[in-house]
Amino acid sequence: MGISEERVVAVIMVGGPTKGTRFRPLSLNVPKPLFPLAGQPMVHHPILACRRIPNLVQIYLIGFYEEREFALYVSAISNELRLPVRYLREDKPHGSAGGLYSFRDYIMEEDPSHIVLLNCDVCSSFPLPDMLEAHKRYGGLGTVLVIKVSAESANQFANLRRMNSFEALQSATKTLPADYVRLDQDILSPLAGKKKLYTYETLDFWEQIKTPGISLRCSALYLAQYRHISPHLLATGNGSKSPTIIGDVYIHPSAKVHPSAKIGPNVSISANARIGAGVRLISCIILDDVEIKENAVVMHAIVGWKSSIGRWSRVQAEGDYNAKLGITILGEAVAVEDEVVVVNSIVLPNKTLNVSVQEEIIL
């Protein structure tokens, strides 16, 4: 098949409700793939990366969320990109590659010369065009994106693999359904054993988005990437009616931010948010319809939909993205009253805080 005849299909695995438990309380309101990072749904970033692949003809999202949860987004992104994007729903989990097997007829319908497979909960610059060119040069059946890690991280991964190997040994004694396919054990490992699997190393960022803390770090990585690929999405702070902007900041066009506020670095402000006079925001995600009143401070935190933070209040954390309480999270419709301090805490939806809390999970 010549270059002009190449056809590429992209498949993005989005998981399902049982896979988002570590993302609570944020996944109580929205499917994890639609949670906004740098002002865009998580799945939006790999979709835009796929859009840069030459000769791309179709993008499939495969998961086991209800179809209605993705319908509006899929319709909007298809129209925006003028490219077919379709959500395919598994009836239940069939293994990490079971969706590929279940929907193989759809995926092969366009007779693709190459299939690009991504996981939605990976944050990366996704150098897919360069990776595809390398794959063609290698001449193998598969190419995996890899990144160098520290010795400490490698040891942690090795321990995890040993545990997974034990689990795999246990599961081997059970009869798996014919349509249950594991990407690592059933596809990648055999290809590697036959020397038909290659690697492509990225020197850029790569993170797995398992927790809200990591999502805040990934939002910062995507905001920094905007400087190179979408600078128009970053706030500039130019003009007397604009707030002071420090570093990389995204502000939704419908948000109202007082000119005396100071925003950034690493801040994302979503639709219809209202940021009052003298407010200071640092390293945080502010979701839809949030109100932050005068002289409040939010730092290393995620503030949930329709929440409010009172005057002179502080919602903050140490900013250890890997720790359980390393960032502060307010669920949907949480009200923090005036002059209240919330530190290193998680607050579930629909709570009112009229006293200060530190290192607590408010149920």
Side-chain angles (χ1 to χ4, degrees):
M1 185 176 286
I3 292 178
S4 61
E5 300 172 342
E6 284 189 347
R7 301 168 71 82
V8 181
V9 168
V11 178
I12 303 175
M13 309 302 289
V14 300
T18 60
K19 297 293 185 180
T21 54
R22 280 184 285 180
F23 213 70
R24 292 175 182 166
L26 302 173
S27 57
L28 296 174
N29 297 84
V30 65
K32 180 182 172 183
L34 299 182
F35 181 81
L37 303 179
Q40 304 291 341
M42 186 183 297
V43 71
H44 198 80
H45 300 282
I47 286 177
L48 291 186
C50 290
R51 186 67 181 87
R52 297 193 289 270
I53 301 172
N55 305 307
L56 182 72
V57 294
Q58 176 79 52
I59 297 175
Y60 289 109
L61 311 180
I62 297 180
F64 43 99
Y65 291 99
E66 294 289 339
E67 289 185 29
R68 59 179 171 76
E69 297 187 88
F70 277 83
L72 286 176
Y73 174 74
V74 166
S75 175
I77 192 65
S78 297
N79 290 332
E80 178 185 332
L81 300 183
R82 297 182 182 179
L83 179 76
V85 179
R86 182 173 181 180
Y87 176 68
L88 301 175
R89 182 179 182 268
E90 298 181 74
D91 57 345
K92 61 181 180 180
H94 293 279
S96 53
L100 294 175
Y101 181 77
S102 299
F103 296 112
R104 59 193 182 278
D105 290 340
Y106 287 100
I107 295 169
M108 299 305 297
E109 191 173 35
E110 296 285 351
D111 190 25
S113 50
H114 305 287
I115 299 170
V116 177
L117 176 64
L118 302 92
N119 278 321
C120 174
D121 65 351
V122 166
C123 167
S124 171
S125 58
F126 299 111
L128 300 180
D130 291 342
M131 183 179 175
L132 181 56
E133 287 303 312
H135 172 72
K136 295 175 190 177
R137 292 196 304 271
Y138 297 155
L141 288 180
T143 301
V144 179
L145 184 68
V146 299
I147 187 170
K148 285 184 179 179
V149 299
S150 65
E152 180 183 0
S153 297
N155 289 334
Q156 291 175 352
F157 180 73
N159 291 335
L160 181 62
R161 286 303 296 266
R162 279 194 288 270
M163 184 172 64
N164 286 344
S165 297
F166 176 70
E167 292 170 352
L169 185 62
Q170 285 184 314
S171 66
T173 62
K174 303 176 184 178
T175 302
L176 294 174
D179 59 354
Y180 195 93
V181 186
R182 301 161 298 180
L183 183 62
D184 286 350
Q185 298 100 314
D186 299 327
I187 298 177
L188 298 183
S189 292
L191 286 178
K194 295 175 182 177
K195 297 186 178 180
K196 294 182 178 180
L197 183 70
Y198 291 79
T199 61
Y200 180 82
E201 181 184 350
T202 177
L203 301 178
D204 212 337
F205 61 91
W206 190 99
E207 292 276 356
Q208 196 162 15
I209 313 168
K210 289 297 185 184
T211 65
I214 296 297
S215 77
L216 189 53
R217 168 170 166 72
C218 290
S219 188
L221 292 170
Y222 281 137
L223 285 170
Q225 188 185 32
Y226 284 170
R227 276 184 258 151
H228 307 291
I229 65 170
S230 303
H232 64 282
L233 292 177
L234 294 175
T236 60
N238 294 333
S240 59
K241 294 184 179 180
S242 300
T244 300
I245 301 297
I246 300 173
D248 300 319
V249 171
Y250 168 84
I251 301 176
H252 191 276
S254 65
K256 306 296 183 185
V257 183
H258 195 276
S260 65
K262 194 172 185 179
I263 314 295
N266 179 25
V267 172
S268 174
I269 301 175
S270 297
N272 301 311
R274 301 176 303 284
I275 312 300
V279 165
R280 183 70 176 103
L281 303 181
I282 303 171
S283 187
C284 57
I285 295 175
I286 309 300
L287 295 172
D288 294 357
D289 302 303
V290 165
E291 181 177 15
I292 303 178
K293 297 181 181 178
E294 293 86 346
N295 301 306
V297 174
V298 180
M299 182 166 55
H300 304 304
I302 298 175
V303 181
W305 306 265
K306 302 177 184 177
S307 291
S308 62
I309 299 174
R311 297 169 181 84
W312 296 101
S313 290
R314 298 180 68 94
V315 174
Q316 63 186 66
E318 295 174 357
D320 182 349
Y321 300 132
N322 295 306
K324 184 176 182 180
L325 296 177
I327 70 167
T328 288
I329 302 170
L330 305 185
E332 182 185 28
V334 170
V336 177
E337 296 192 349
D338 294 350
E339 300 182 20
V340 169
V341 179
V342 184
V343 181
N344 294 347
S345 296
I346 298 174
V347 184
L348 267 64
N350 304 304
K351 299 292 184 293
T352 297
L353 298 182
N354 52 21
V355 295
S356 296
V357 295
Q358 182 171 353
E359 295 183 353
E360 291 191 34
I361 299 176
I362 310 295
L363 301 176

